[in-house]
């Protein structure tokens, strides 16, 4: 998940490279002062989100500290995930966001934007493979693809598996993210080496507004969370520009948060996509340990035109020549995982079902699906208490 | 996940009830001293795992403190999940383990044994429904079921949906867990009210050794992690006693950790079960936000005898009279989720496939499954660099 989006930044990029030792002559942030007061750990690699050698997503993304500033985030109140830090590899500030890279003990290198984990080397496979192949394996022969955000290059690496693709545009707002990933995430940024890739550094809303109408077979929105710079990317005007830029029957895949935490946001996105794209609209999900609640969701939508059945891949990855071996071995996605990703737990089905719309072809497929049947109700009180 | 298992405890149960305020005249644990040193938060509800109002699973489960004692666990090194604490509702010590219940900000009440989250009200549905219905919906008409551990009652609540079941034995080692859950998790402990339930408080290994041979259609092992009291429950002698107590064609479902973190442990369990039970052996998984890496796995095994096809429910829950309405609405499991639970990401398939064994019936089903096909290899270096 990379930050593509609005253009409100203005400060010049300020960068610090190497381990926290370089920062030893700077004032310690309050968290480290606190740590120092209590135990001999003030020499830990220093960053506002790292306390006692552990990174935790902060309470405030906007620099306001408090006594619990190293816990929590407005997108997932009441919980936090922490990773043990071996070394801080990079910290800097672009006009758009703060960029941090650290080496963790057990998840490899970690990319953090404005205090939020975007990817780790251990589990990036799940997100990158799913956000790419769910849309590209749902249409017969994708030729023209746009990536919004995705400055780490991971989605490009995955698109490269599709030999049918002729042009890959990517619009990432933050050059610093691209540069940092080239240094610290070579297994992702390898995606930029594909000669089909055209990089556009800039605002995605502007880019889409100026794109030729009906240009793309698929658009993949690999954005950060919709607070701060990526806020625009979950709002209706953005989806209208997406709809305009897609071919009839073209597909959109958008990162769409967690079914455990963000049902209302997902409902809103499904409704907006239904209104603006007018084709099938679905929610799929995958397990990603370092994202909040351990899952990430995907919005899969088609623009009106030739019907798209997302639920079963019409363009299975296993049958694409060279797909399995391009760039790096596949680690997460396969055609069975594709189908399973659309299967929702009962609570999510209940909350999202009315917002999901299918094509006629979808409907005939889903007729096989077992639905709850109306049965004689045995109320709770009918179960006698144990003697 | 409850602690059933060994019998090495000896200390008498010492209990404290109510909020942390009751403990104000006791010495503060080191973590709170640390917090007090730095900020005005020493009045927080006090427990060794609660710092600055947040619960985090501890580094050491056995009371050894260190400067980072409030982070990490030997089962998931390098990461930690934290929950914001509203109130500590109960803390006590049984002969087997430390029992803690707190009210969290966003996950409801939380049960913690020896510092490890066992369940939260928000996401217990996923674990309880899956560990129960994956086995019971895989055989035509289960009549006799044994639960090992499960003292919270959640598995019993789910078994109650199956009208075919005539007897439900439960062997939980820790009476304190049962009592505490009756007070603080009434939506789970309601499971004990079913008149078919026979509670046995004691060691499951002894219980199984003395059980009539071939008594059970299904055994559900709802254990805590295999460090400390539940260590025995992942070792071969335990599975031998399980095999002895199952009917031919009877099924076992055992909690089986995370595919992201514990592949070797899962491989060992699959191998042991293959050797001892001699029928089909599978791994399934579900999303549970408050378990490490956000997932939990299940080992599904059949004893040799009539073939069992776990991959698709032969006894679908949606067709069982009264099943959907018994006790509480279903929140997670449905027949599609059942099928999807056996679909493994490519990395897990690669690491576990050789350990999974199918019945002949399974094999005919899985023929439909797309497998990676051998294709012409396009090496990484064949992708030219961008100009």
């Amino acid at each position: 998940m990379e930050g593509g989006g609005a253009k409100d930044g203005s400060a010049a990029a300020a960068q610090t490279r190497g381990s926290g030792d370089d920062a030893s002559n700077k004032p310690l942030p309050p968290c480290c002062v606190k740590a120092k007061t209590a135990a001999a750990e003030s020499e830990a690699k220093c960053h506002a989100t790292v306390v006692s050698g552990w990174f935790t997503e902060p309470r405030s993304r906007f620099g306001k500290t408090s006594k619990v500033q190293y816990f929590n985030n407005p997108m997932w109140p009441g919980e936090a995930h922490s990773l043990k830090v071996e070394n801080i590899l990079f910290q800097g500030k672009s006009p758009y966001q703060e960029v941090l890279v650290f080496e963790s003990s057990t998840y490899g290198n970690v990319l953090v934007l404005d205090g939020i984990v975007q990817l780790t080397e251990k589990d990036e496979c799940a997100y990158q493979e799913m956000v790419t192949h769910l849309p590209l394996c749902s249409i017969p022969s994708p030729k023209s693809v746009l990536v919004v955000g995705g400055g780490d290059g991971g989605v490009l690496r995955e698109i490269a598996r599709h030999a049918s693709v002729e042009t890959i545009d990517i619009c990432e707002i933050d050059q610093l993210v691209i540069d940092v990933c080239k240094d610290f995430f070579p297994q992702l940024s390898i995606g930029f080496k594909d000669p089909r890739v055209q990089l556009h550094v800039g605002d995605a809303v502007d880019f889409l507004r100026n794109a030729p109408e009906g240009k793309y077979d698929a658009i993949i929105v690999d954005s950060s969370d919709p607070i701060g710079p990526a806020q625009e990317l979950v709002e209706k005007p953005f989806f209208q520009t997406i709809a305009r830029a897609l071919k009839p029957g073209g597909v959109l895949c958008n990162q769409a948060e967690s079914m455990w935490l963000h049902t209302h946001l997902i409902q809103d996105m499904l409704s907006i996509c239904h209104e603006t794209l007018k084709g099938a609209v679905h929610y799929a999900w995958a397990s990603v340990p370092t994202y909040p609640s351990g899952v990430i969701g995907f919005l899969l939508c088609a623009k009106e035109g030739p019907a798209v059945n997302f639920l079963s891949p019409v363009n299975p990855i296993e049958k694409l020549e060279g797909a399995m071996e391009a760039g790096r071995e596949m680690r997460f996605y396969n055609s069975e995982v594709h189908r399973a990703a659309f299967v929702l737990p009962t609570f999510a089905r209940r909350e999202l079902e009315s917002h999901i719309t299918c094509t006629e072809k979808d409907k005939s497929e889903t007729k096989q699906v077992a639905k709850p049947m109306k049965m004689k109700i045995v109320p709770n009180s009918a179960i006698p208490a144990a003697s």
Side-chain angles (χ1 to χ4, degrees), chain A:
Chain A
M1 295 197 286
E2 290 316 303
K7 51 202 164 170
D8 55 349
S10 61
Q15 300 172 28
T16 311
R17 202 169 272 269
S19 82
D21 296 343
D22 298 347
S24 57
N25 54 358
K26 295 184 180 179
L28 287 175
C31 60
C32 291
V33 173
K34 176 175 171 178
K36 197 175 189 176
T37 314
E41 58 194 352
S42 61
E43 302 310 315
K45 324 84 196 177
C46 241
H47 184 268
T49 53
V50 177
V51 176
S52 305
W54 288 74
F55 163 85
T56 304
E57 288 171 345
R59 182 179 187 85
S60 164
R61 306 173 70 216
F62 305 105
K64 290 170 196 149
T65 56
S66 79
K67 68 179 178 178
V68 286
Q69 56 82 37
Y70 50 84
F71 273 139
N72 214 359
N73 175 277
M75 285 291 288
W76 40 94
E79 64 181 310
H81 189 245
S82 309
L83 292 171
K84 193 163 186 352
V85 177
E86 292 295 323
N87 279 300
I88 289 183
L89 301 173
F90 178 87
Q91 43 185 317
K93 206 162 160 35
S94 79
Y96 306 101
Q97 55 206 342
E98 198 214 12
V99 180
L100 169 70
V101 180
F102 67 84
E103 181 196 348
S104 68
S105 300
T106 52
Y107 278 84
N109 288 355
V110 181
L111 174 67
V112 180
L113 298 181
D114 279 346
I116 310 298
V117 169
Q118 303 297 308
L119 62 89
T120 81
E121 287 181 312
K122 178 168 174 158
D123 64 3
E124 55 89 6
C125 58
Y127 176 77
Q128 313 288 350
E129 294 180 20
M130 293 295 274
V131 81
T132 306
H133 304 305
L134 285 175
L136 296 189
C137 294
S138 293
I139 51 177
S141 185
K143 288 189 177 54
S144 177
V145 184
L146 169 65
V147 181
V148 172
D152 56 62
V155 172
L156 302 176
R157 178 192 73 202
E158 294 306 315
I159 296 173
R161 300 186 193 278
H162 292 261
S164 69
V165 171
E166 293 164 3
T167 64
I168 309 170
D169 284 327
I170 172 167
C171 184
E172 162 65 54
I173 201 165
D174 198 340
Q175 181 70 49
L176 182 58
V177 170
I178 299 168
D179 295 342
V180 164
C181 290
K182 282 186 176 161
D183 284 350
F184 298 105
F185 299 91
Q187 287 212 53
L188 287 112
S189 63
I190 189 180
F192 282 101
K193 293 192 177 170
D194 190 296
R196 295 168 290 182
V197 170
Q198 286 289 327
L199 170 62
H200 308 266
V201 176
D203 177 56
V205 178
D206 284 349
F207 181 85
L208 277 161
R209 220 175 269 132
N210 297 320
E213 200 172 327
K215 179 174 182 188
Y216 297 106
D217 294 297
I219 297 178
I220 297 170
V221 181
D222 178 13
S223 67
S224 47
D225 294 306
I227 38 174
Q231 173 66 39
E232 278 191 75
L233 306 190
V234 293
E235 291 172 357
K236 194 167 175 180
F238 178 68
F239 290 105
Q240 286 168 330
T241 63
I242 294 260
R244 193 186 147 280
L246 278 175
K247 280 186 191 147
V251 293
L252 163 69
C253 184
N254 203 324
Q255 84 89 349
E257 305 296 341
S258 163
M259 63 188 175
W260 284 101
L261 304 176
H262 306 117
T263 322
H264 290 295
L265 180 65
I266 299 164
Q267 286 172 342
D268 289 349
M269 290 174 80
L270 289 167
S271 294
I272 291 172
C273 287
H274 176 59
E275 279 174 51
T276 51
L277 280 92
K278 301 189 170 72
V281 176
H282 287 276
Y283 182 79
W285 64 280
S287 154
V288 184
T290 55
Y291 288 159
S293 82
V295 300
I296 191 77
F298 307 97
L299 196 70
L300 274 296
C301 315
K303 183 174 169 178
E304 64 183 335
V308 177
N309 172 20
F310 288 109
L311 304 185
S312 191
V314 294
N315 182 29
I317 197 96
E318 295 86 356
K319 293 188 178 168
L320 297 182
E321 190 166 323
M324 310 299 288
E325 297 83 11
R328 189 187 69 172
E329 89 279 19
M330 292 196 72
R331 294 186 183 170
F332 195 91
Y333 178 91
N334 56 58
S335 287
E336 281 182 281
V337 165
H338 180 121
R339 281 182 281 266
F342 292 93
V343 174
L344 300 184
T346 302
F347 77 89
R349 188 153 86 175
R350 206 178 280 145
E351 293 179 57
L352 301 180
E353 201 164 46
S354 63
H355 298 264
I356 290 169
T357 55
C358 309
T359 61
E360 285 309 309
K361 198 175 166 209
D362 268 3
K363 281 174 197 157
S364 68
E365 297 263 339
T366 50
K367 266 185 198 151
Q368 302 159 15
V369 166
K371 296 272 175 182
M373 292 168 69
K374 284 280 170 206
M375 293 287 178
K376 190 181 145 209
I377 294 172
V378 179
N380 201 353
S381 56
I383 303 174
S387 58

